[in-house]
Structure formats: structure tokens, C-alpha cells
Amino acid sequence: MTKDKYYIIDFDSTFTQVEALDELGEITLEGEENKAEILQRIRDLTNGAMEGKSSFTEGLSKRLALLKANRRHLKPLIQLLQNRVSDSIRRNKDFFQAYADNILIVSSGFKEFITPIVTEYGIKEENIYANTFKFDEQGNIIGFDEENLLSLDRGKIKLLEELALEGDVYVLGDGYTDYEIKEAGLANKFYAFTENVVRDNVVAKADNVAPSLDEFLYQHKLPMAISYPKNRIRVLLLENVHPRAIELFKREGYQIETVSGALSEDELCERIRNVSVLGIRSKTQVTKRVLEHANKLMCIGAFCIGTNQIDLNSCLDAGVAVFNAPYSNTRSVVELAIGEIIMLCRNVVDKSTKMHQGIWDKSATGSVEVRDKKLGIIGYGSIGAQLSVLAEALGMDVYYYDVIERLQLGNARKCETLRQLLEISDIVSLHVDGRTNNEGMFGKEEFAAMKDGAIFLNLSRGHIVDLPALVEAIKSGKLHGAAVDVFPYEPATNDEEFVNELRGLPNVILTPHIGGSTMEAQENIGTFVPSRIMEYINTGNSYQSVNFPNIQLPELKNAHRLIHIHQNVPGVLANINSVLAGNQVNILGQYLKTNEQIGYVITDIDKLYDKKVIEEMKQVPATIKFRILY
């Protein structure tokens, strides 16, 4: 590295995720009655200075006066800041060590807490430019060195003028004072760093926006910890995915686009171009045609349990991994089922409707307890199994039927046939998946086999039940009641009318596919699915993908990771290793797993290799997708 390029990096909200003086206030004001009010005044002063709306020097004096800090408070502050280093700074520690001569920390913060943080990353102490505190004899912070240029308004400009750096200067920071360096003609470019905070007026002035240090390094062709800047990952989220997912994707540095409802096939074909990650719930259909338009799609997140709305085989052909949330909303669905069972047994829906009409129908006729009733569960997966546990706690006798051998919980008893379950159950609850061969599995014959006066619940998939047969069973009195949460056709948005033959029938609970729609479940899903997607993108880990071969990978250390997705045909692994051997590449680890359609090969290699190996890997016959992680 020659001495003709310098990288000026801010500290607060850039090197670290937070403003240090704001955090110092959290420490020094502990126990103060008006702590919240004082902290807000400190934050307002900080933001005013960082946005160029007020005098920095005046604001700094006011902040220190409000803090009432002592030297003893600096140690816990430093410990806090060590844990709040920005994610992209943390993962690019090698860059700071390799380019230490050319990196300057220029901050209006204070050396007393900046130096211990940044020197851990290899930054030289002589390259740290910041303010210093003044202390009294008791160690109280009583001010700052007023002769330090960085304590002055436009102090960073004055410092850079004094340094007179010979060469190209690039500034990375979140505040207006960082932009002023470029405005004064002392830097080639200013990059607004937005990983932690976005100041609109600063972004508007910037030459470029850097949502992470990776983007900055990428643009300057500098070594970085990941194979591409994360802001080049475009995420399209449909159907009101929980804000937690948006927060996590943004924190990772991805570009986010959201749509409140589902999209039609034509609309999705248009919108999915250049999208890397697609997030949907249950209404959006991801077809083969949609995938043909997805030129950059890496993975799909189903923010729900089911994936029958996604053409999984076509995803495999395209090398697109699919992740769902198989357990995140289990409890929510089960609680709804339990509640509906009790309400139907007590005729609560009809009683409530009459009350709203002014009819006082106080009668025990047809109302029964759930205790000692026989609950038949069809589908004993995660939801069915948990339902059996809660139902048993209510005193119900639980039976289940599943085509797959499952471990029974508690005193639940397995039925050998579906008919056996139907004939003995007072209440039947359906919890099977949405695979194609389950379509129409519950119809006229199944309702006929049930006990007279039984109760029926479907909280699984709409296309599994023959609705006309269900309607007839209710109208004829065969069923005492029913609860349905899923339907063969469901409105795409809340503005569309729900049209269905079940409307208006007695003792029937209809809910708009809300089995998993609780705040807890949606937040759990909004956390789980992005975590699996980001793990796949960042490490290649395909664990818990619903369509890809599942591989749990070790941490990538001091190596490059080659990720190869190919058709499952003979000879591909041999061809991959032939390319590596032909280029004298040292293999540190290799992991392979296949399914009927694709093979997934992960190879960790030494960092030193001829770059032509990358192009040769892409040309291996039967290759679907190839990428590399650094």
C-alpha cells in the first residue's frame, strides 16, 4: 500500500453503533429522578451538532455539564463500547490491521474512551485524533481541552488543513461534520455511513451511501470479510411480514422493499427481477414461471409453516433455497384450537350472536364440558403433538392418526386407521400439511364416519376439506359445530370481500387464517426465518431448508469458501476436485450432500490460489449456481 491514500473514519455511530457521550449519560445518571429528561436533552444536543443545526462547541460544553461524569465512569463506558463496535467494523478487523498506516480516526469524541477501543483493531495511537477531557482533583470531568482543534466548530476542517495529507482522502462517517471535510475541499469523497443511524440531510450531501464498511471497501477494491457488500442483496417482502424481519435485514445491510399484500403471478414476475431474497406468507404463489424471471434469486423465506404455495422442485432446478418457520407459531395455533373447542362445546358463538340481537337465551341445552371428551387429532406433527398435551391437561382423552410413525406424548393413543379415529372422536381437529396428495382428503365419506353431533376443526390447509360436504354435514345436523381458519380461496388483501358457503351457518366459527397470527408468533417467525436466510447467505449453511440438502457447516476461518450447487448427476464432485487439483489449490475442508435433484458441495480452500479457478468452477458441467465467500 502506497502512502497516497488515506481513509478518515469517524468514531461515534460509525466505528461504534452508539454515541459514546449518550451512553456515558446512561451510566452517570443512574438513579437520577429526571434521568430520562436529561438523557433526551443530551441526545438532542448530539443530533443537533451531527446534523449541522447547532454549534458543536457550545453543544459539547452543555453535554458535559449535564453528564456529571467522573473518571471512574470511563471504565464501564469502555467495556460497553467494546461490545457495541459496529458489525461491519468487527468483521473487517483484518483491513484495519493491514492498512493501519493509512487509517485515521478523526472524531469529536474523546481519546480517553476512543483509544482503548480502536487500538484493539490495529489502529495506531498516533493516528487517533480526538478531544481530551479536563478533570478536577476529585476526578470529575469539568470540561475539555479548548486548544484542541476538534473541540471547535468546523474542527475537523481545521485539523485536516493542519495535517495537509498528500494524496487522496476518503471520509467515512455519519455526521455533518464528516461531510464538511469534503465540502471544504479536503477530501476526494464523503461516504455517509448508515449502518447505525441515517441522517437524511447528511445522506443528501454524500457522494456515496455506505450501509456498511463492506460497501466502502468494495468500492475501493480493498480486502473485505465477505464476498460482496451486503447492500447489493435486494430483499422483497410481501404480505405484511413482521417488522422484526425488516429490522434484521436492514441491520445486516440489505436493501429492503416491502409490499403490504400478495402479488399476482404477473406482478411478481415483474417485481422479482434483481431480487436476491423473497419473503412471503401463505397467499403469494411462487410458480415455475415466477422463478424463470428471478435472475438473481438466492433464497425464499416462507414466513409461515406451510410451503405448498412455493414450487419447491422448480426452486431446486434454479438453485434457490427455501426456508420456513416450522415451529414458531405452533403455540398460537394450538391455543386457538383449544379456545375454539371450548367455545363450540358451549355454543358460545350462537349465544353471543343472539345477545347482540337482544335475545337472552340462557339455556344449558347442547352445552357440554370438554373434560372426558375424546379428541381425535389428524396429523401428529409439531402442532398436533402440542395440541394433544394441552388437551390432555384439560382432561380430554386424546387419539391421533398420522401416516408417519410419530412419538406419542403423554397418554395420547395412536389409531391405526383414519376411520377408527373418526368413529370414536367427539371432536376432530385437522393438522396435516399442504402437500398435493392431501387435497380433498376429508370429504363426504369422512364426515359420514364421524359421530353424530361431533365437532370439526380445520386449522391446517383450505384445500384439504371438501367444503360442500362440510356445509351439508352442518346443515343436516351431523355436526354440532365447526371451526375453520383456512379456505380453498382466501382474499388477497383485507379490502377484498370474503365469499364462502360457510357464512351464516349455526355454531360455526370462521377466522381469516389467523391461527399463527399472534404478536408473539409473528415476531418469532420474523426472527427465525431471516436468521436462517442470513446464515445461508453468509456461510452457506443450509440447515433447516425445506428443499435443499441440509448441511451444518463449521465456522469459516482463514479460508475462502466455494459454494457449488449442481444437478445430481455422476461425476460432478470429481470434476470439481479436478479443477482444484489442476490449479494446485489446497483443500482445507469439503462437505457434500445430495437429494434426488441437486448436489450441494462446500469446499474451504487456502486463500492463495490463481483466480482463474473461479471461472473454471463456474464451467463445471451440470453447474446450477456457484458463489464464493471470503
Side-chain angles (χ1 to χ4, degrees):
M1 173 82 183
T2 59
K3 293 286 187 177
D4 60 352
K5 284 190 178 180
Y6 295 92
Y7 306 106
I8 309 295
I9 300 177
D10 184 32
F11 182 76
D12 292 288
S13 295
T14 299
F15 201 96
T16 60
Q17 300 169 357
V18 294
E19 294 287 328
L21 291 186
D22 293 357
E23 299 304 311
L24 182 58
E26 292 280 359
I27 297 169
T28 64
L29 298 170
E30 187 63 37
E32 286 276 348
E33 185 177 343
N34 56 345
K35 175 183 175 181
E37 179 185 341
I38 297 173
L39 285 176
Q40 189 57 53
R41 288 171 62 190
I42 293 172
R43 294 188 191 102
D44 291 342
L45 289 166
T46 299
N47 289 330
M50 291 304 98
E51 294 172 4
K53 297 177 180 178
S54 60
S55 165
F56 173 79
T57 304
E58 182 181 343
L60 184 59
S61 297
K62 290 180 179 179
R63 280 188 284 168
L64 292 183
L66 289 167
L67 284 170
K68 300 177 182 178
N70 185 280
R71 191 186 297 274
R72 70 177 183 276
H73 294 126
L74 296 178
K75 183 177 180 180
L77 174 63
I78 291 167
Q79 291 173 338
L80 183 149
L81 295 176
Q82 286 171 331
N83 293 320
R84 300 300 300 275
V85 172
S86 297
D87 291 338
S88 65
I89 298 287
R90 194 186 300 276
R91 65 175 169 259
N92 285 290
K93 190 172 184 178
D94 289 348
F95 161 71
F96 293 100
Q97 295 172 339
Y99 291 82
D101 290 337
N102 305 86
I103 299 171
L104 282 65
I105 299 295
V106 177
S107 171
S108 299
F110 290 81
K111 281 188 178 182
E112 285 84 354
F113 55 73
I114 293 176
T115 299
I117 306 301
V118 301
T119 51
E120 286 187 0
Y121 287 77
I123 291 172
K124 295 184 175 181
E125 194 163 346
E126 59 266 30
N127 285 352
I128 302 170
Y129 297 89
N131 283 302
T132 54
F133 289 121
K134 281 185 178 180
F135 301 90
D136 64 15
E137 293 180 357
Q138 288 74 42
N140 297 313
I141 296 174
I142 57 173
F144 51 86
D145 180 3
E146 296 173 359
E147 294 184 3
N148 189 320
L149 295 176
L150 290 169
S151 71
L152 306 176
D153 290 335
R154 298 176 67 84
K156 292 185 178 181
I157 294 174
K158 294 177 173 68
L159 174 69
L160 266 292
E161 288 174 340
E162 185 175 281
L163 290 175
L165 300 173
E166 294 183 4
D168 295 331
V169 176
Y170 301 95
V171 179
L172 180 70
D174 66 285
Y176 197 85
T177 57
D178 303 304
Y179 158 70
E180 286 180 329
I181 299 173
K182 164 66 189 315
E183 183 187 39
L186 297 168
N188 298 65
K189 286 186 178 181
F190 165 62
Y191 292 76
F193 188 76
T194 60
E195 182 172 327
N196 304 309
V197 62
V198 179
R199 307 185 196 279
D200 292 337
N201 65 326
V202 176
V203 169
K205 297 285 188 180
D207 297 292
N208 295 91
V209 176
S212 67
L213 179 63
D214 305 290
E215 173 67 18
F216 181 82
L217 299 179
Y218 181 84
Q219 292 198 23
H220 287 271
K221 295 182 171 57
L222 294 166
M224 43 195 253
I226 59 175
S227 55
Y228 41 79
K230 296 189 178 184
N231 77 315
R232 294 174 188 264
I233 300 290
R234 288 190 57 203
V235 180
L236 176 61
L237 300 176
L238 310 180
E239 303 183 62
N240 291 319
V241 166
H242 193 274
R244 176 63 175 163
I246 300 171
E247 175 191 340
L248 290 173
F249 283 134
K250 281 185 176 179
R251 185 184 302 173
E252 193 71 6
Y254 298 164
Q255 290 188 54
I256 313 296
E257 182 182 1
T258 61
V259 177
S260 59
L263 294 179
S264 68
E265 185 181 54
D266 287 342
E267 290 171 326
L268 190 52
C269 285
E270 181 64 30
R271 297 288 284 272
I272 205 167
R273 289 189 180 92
N274 298 318
V275 168
S276 306
V277 177
L278 174 65
I280 64 170
R281 293 175 73 182
S282 57
K283 294 188 180 73
T284 300
Q285 301 296 310
V286 183
T287 63
K288 181 178 181 180
R289 178 168 166 251
V290 167
L291 292 165
E292 288 170 351
H293 287 76
N295 57 324
K296 293 185 178 180
L297 193 63
M298 299 172 67
C299 47
I300 296 172
F303 287 75
C304 51
I305 296 176
T307 55
N308 57 294
Q309 72 277 37
I310 303 169
D311 187 335
L312 296 179
N313 288 330
S314 293
C315 285
L316 281 175
D317 291 338
V320 176
V322 178
F323 297 91
N324 69 337
Y327 311 113
S328 298
N329 65 0
T330 298
R331 177 72 183 201
S332 296
V333 176
V334 169
E335 286 188 4
L336 180 62
I338 290 289
E340 290 180 332
I341 288 170
I342 295 172
M343 292 178 71
L344 290 169
C345 284
R346 297 294 299 275
N347 297 314
V348 170
V349 175
D350 285 355
K351 301 281 189 186
S352 176
T353 300
K354 288 180 179 179
M355 288 290 284
H356 283 285
Q357 296 170 349
I359 301 171
W360 184 268
D361 181 15
K362 181 175 171 57
S363 169
T365 303
S367 293
V368 296
E369 293 181 348
V370 298
R371 182 174 51 177
D372 296 329
K373 300 301 181 292
K374 294 179 175 61
L375 171 64
I377 300 172
I378 303 173
Y380 202 68
S382 58
I383 292 176
Q386 188 168 150
L387 175 59
S388 78
V389 172
L390 294 190
E392 194 172 304
L394 290 172
M396 302 182 77
D397 297 328
V398 178
Y399 297 83
Y400 73 91
Y401 172 75
D402 201 307
V403 295
I404 298 173
E405 190 64 37
R406 306 277 191 182
L407 174 66
Q408 62 193 52
L409 302 180
N411 295 316
R413 281 158 280 189
K414 178 184 177 182
C415 292
E416 296 302 323
T417 66
L418 176 59
R419 187 173 186 88
Q420 178 189 356
L421 179 140
L422 296 176
E423 289 176 347
I424 64 175
S425 299
D426 301 301
I427 301 151
V428 173
S429 193
L430 198 54
H431 299 284
V432 302
D433 62 36
R435 67 188 69 182
T436 304
N437 56 3
N438 280 338
E439 184 171 353
M441 66 162 285
F442 210 99
K444 188 174 183 179
E445 291 184 10
E446 287 71 29
F447 286 117
M450 291 175 66
K451 281 184 175 182
D452 290 343
I455 286 170
F456 176 77
L457 288 84
N458 181 18
L459 283 78
S460 56
R461 296 291 181 273
H463 65 272
I464 290 170
V465 177
D466 180 350
L467 277 191
L470 173 57
V471 171
E472 177 58 31
I474 295 169
K475 287 182 175 180
S476 68
K478 174 68 176 180
L479 295 182
H480 176 70
V484 182
D485 186 52
V486 289
F487 305 89
Y489 175 79
E490 297 177 357
T493 68
N494 289 342
D495 295 328
E496 182 181 344
E497 182 184 0
F498 170 66
V499 178
N500 192 280
E501 53 264 55
L502 290 170
R503 284 172 53 177
L505 295 180
N507 207 27
V508 173
I509 300 174
L510 302 179
T511 49
H513 205 146
I514 58 168
S517 295
T518 62
M519 295 302 296
E520 294 89 346
Q522 293 307 306
E523 183 170 357
N524 289 340
I525 293 170
T527 301
F528 181 84
V529 176
S531 70
R532 302 311 318 141
I533 289 173
M534 292 185 291
E535 182 76 5
Y536 174 71
I537 292 174
N538 293 341
T539 72
N541 196 331
S542 60
Y543 179 62
Q544 293 182 308
S545 169
V546 297
N547 66 331
F548 256 49
N550 274 212
I551 297 181
Q552 286 185 280
L553 296 166
E555 183 181 353
L556 182 63
K557 292 183 178 180
N558 199 31
H560 287 182
R561 176 165 287 172
L562 310 182
I563 298 177
H564 195 278
I565 306 167
H566 58 269
Q567 298 167 11
N568 188 10
V569 296
V572 177
L573 183 60
N575 289 333
I576 289 173
N577 288 335
S578 176
V579 169
L580 297 174
N583 287 278
Q584 298 183 320
V585 176
N586 184 33
I587 297 176
L588 302 178
Q590 193 167 55
Y591 316 90
L592 164 67
K593 203 165 187 180
T594 64
N595 61 22
E596 292 181 356
Q597 284 182 247
I598 69 166
Y600 191 45
V601 179
I602 312 294
T603 309
D604 291 348
I605 63 174
D606 265 342
K607 290 182 176 181
L608 298 177
Y609 57 89
D610 191 326
K611 299 307 182 207
K612 72 176 184 178
V613 72
I614 304 303
E615 290 306 313
E616 291 183 21
M617 289 286 284
K618 293 178 181 178
Q619 301 306 315
V620 170
T623 297
I624 297 174
K625 281 185 179 177
F626 172 81
R627 63 189 177 104
I628 183 168
L629 299 176
Y630 299 119

